[in-house]
Amino acid sequence: DNSGNVLPGTVVDTDICDPHYHDFYMVSHAGIKGTSSPVHYHVLVDENGFSPDCLQLLTYRFCYLYCRATRSISIPPPAYYAHLAAFRGRMLLDLEDKSSDGRSDVSLDSTGDLSLSDVHGAIKSTMFYV
């Protein structure tokens, strides 16, 4: 492109990758400012039996599905959403740990899952962390 970066969708899966494992590098976003940096993907388990090309194309197309952007992002949204959820959860836990009465509103429910009583019932089942 005009900035000297490789085009979005560029994949390297030979030469510099491990010959014994399925891994690849991909640049899935355009470099608007500065240099585009590739993301290194490691395929741990492929239960669907995708070919390497199919898996790389699927990963690339996922990068266009992020709800906050109209362009492609560098990592697939499921990984991005997991990061946002963990960050928001940590913020909620930090707020509850610093409550003035010394009590914590964080508890485990009957299934052993963490329950946060601060989250309003109307949004508990939505992706409120986005």
Side-chain angles (χ1 to χ4, degrees):
D1 67 355
N2 294 339
S3 64
N5 291 313
V6 296
L7 295 175
T10 300
V11 174
V12 174
D13 60 356
T14 58
D15 297 332
I16 62 171
C17 296
D18 192 320
H20 303 293
Y21 300 103
H22 183 189
D23 64 330
F24 60 95
Y25 291 88
M26 179 187 299
V27 176
S28 58
H29 62 290
I32 299 171
K33 277 185 164 179
T35 304
S36 297
S37 57
V39 176
H40 189 188
Y41 293 94
H42 298 269
V43 180
L44 301 177
V45 176
D46 181 11
E47 294 175 341
N48 295 311
F50 288 127
S51 70
D53 290 338
C54 183
L55 190 59
Q56 292 160 5
L57 182 62
L58 178 67
T59 303
Y60 175 64
R61 289 188 176 165
F62 262 146
C63 292
Y64 282 90
L65 299 177
Y66 186 56
C67 69
R68 289 183 175 179
T70 57
R71 302 175 65 117
S72 174
I73 61 172
S74 61
I75 61 172
Y80 214 120
Y81 293 143
H83 174 74
L84 289 172
F87 182 78
R88 181 62 62 98
R90 187 181 73 202
M91 286 178 46
L92 289 171
L93 290 174
D94 284 347
L95 288 175
E96 291 172 355
D97 287 343
K98 296 174 185 170
S99 63
S100 60
D101 61 358
R103 289 187 3 204
S104 174
D105 292 336
V106 180
S107 61
L108 295 178
D109 63 13
S110 60
T111 63
D113 292 334
L114 190 65
S115 69
L116 300 170
S117 58
D118 286 18
V119 179
H120 192 275
I123 63 169
K124 269 189 177 179
S125 63
T126 66
M127 291 175 40
F128 67 91
Y129 49 86
V130 176

